[in-house]
Amino acid sequence: MAAWNENGADTGIRLAASALCAGYDGASILSDIDLTIPTGKMSVLVGANGSGKSTLLKTMARILTPSSGTVLLDGKSVHAAKTRDVARKMGLLPQGPIAPEGLTVRELVAQGRFPHQGLMRQWTREDEDAVNAAMATAGITEFADRPVDSLSGGQRQRCWIAMVLAQETDLLLLDEPTTFLDLKVQVDLMELLADLAHARGRTLVIVLHELSLAAAYADHLVMMKDGRIVCAGAPETIFTAERLKHVFDLEARVVRDAETGHLVCVPLGAHARRKASVRVA
């Protein structure tokens, strides 16, 4: 779906923030955020703890109300829209969701159909098809009748992603979906999310801590520090040793993997330097 400006022109922009300020209990976290999310791409937000990544995601998702500025969804204020209307356009997977004990995978995924239900519209074959399609896309069909809490961490995360997919929205916002998962599971999840963007045309905004994963999979990388955006753009242009030092106070080299072409962050702590000097000697 395209967005339209006040003059009726197609801007091609689904989600954007302008002069956005937000925080908690009177404490300011975000300051003058201007951000445009590329449509049909994977945007990844990175930054040190407390930099405002999750706060920005929550504000764009209408969970948190800004103190000033606006978030536009299809050219209209997301905070002025009805909850159900927003949920029909944008899905959110928060950090560390927990399913009620005993809830089956199918029951969890079916909750993604909430925005499409109402007094005049109960469960339909369309809803059933959406749930089945979401489970198939997430690769969890075989677990449909199992309790969510009986699955591994990676399998549970796929269930939550399936629930968001069942909303059938073009926009997906995910807060640290790979945290506490093994590296292989993280990579498998990022492959799934990349496929949603590149093969299925979804627009994704993801908060990540893993820098090399962010550089490898992001189409649009956003670096944040102290509640502000330091830089945003293609990883090839902004994922540099100088920026990692400025944003994370991290001494590192950025190298390109010869086989995949992905950029990789190589930390240069004292022990790493000592090992390197031993090898040279």
Side-chain angles (χ1 to χ4, degrees), residues 175-203:
D175 194 356
E176 298 189 28
T178 63
T179 300
F180 304 125
L181 299 177
D182 293 340
L183 181 58
K184 173 61 166 61
V185 179
Q186 292 182 36
V187 171
D188 288 344
L189 278 176
M190 292 305 297
E191 287 288 324
L192 168 62
L193 297 175
D195 182 72
L196 291 175
H198 302 150
R200 301 172 186 265
R202 306 288 182 94
T203 299

Side-chain angles (χ1 to χ4, degrees), residues 15 35-46 57 60 161 170-175 177-178 186-208 210-223 232-236 238 262:
L15 185 63
L35 179 63
T36 298
I37 301 300
T39 300
K41 304 289 185 180
M42 181 188 291
S43 294
V44 177
L45 310 182
V46 298
L57 196 78
M60 290 193 295
I161 291 173
D170 295 329
L171 277 163
L172 302 176
L173 279 59
L174 304 97
D175 194 356
T178 63
Q186 292 182 36
V187 171
D188 288 344
L189 278 176
M190 292 305 297
E191 287 288 324
L192 168 62
L193 297 175
D195 182 72
L196 291 175
H198 302 150
R200 301 172 186 265
R202 306 288 182 94
T203 299
L204 281 76
V205 186
I206 306 173
V207 171
L208 283 182
E210 299 81 2
L211 292 177
S212 290
L213 278 183
Y217 285 96
D219 301 306
H220 187 70
L221 188 62
V222 181
M223 287 190 174
E236 287 76 13
I238 69 170
H262 292 164

Side-chain angles (χ1 to χ4, degrees), residues 99-100 103-112 148 156 159-160 163:
L103 194 73
T104 68
V105 170
R106 184 181 298 277
E107 290 169 338
L108 175 66
V109 178
Q111 292 187 9
V148 176
R156 287 197 300 271
C159 294
W160 287 105
M163 186 192 75

Side-chain angles (χ1 to χ4, degrees), residues 276-281:
S277 65
V278 170
R279 286 193 297 269
V280 170

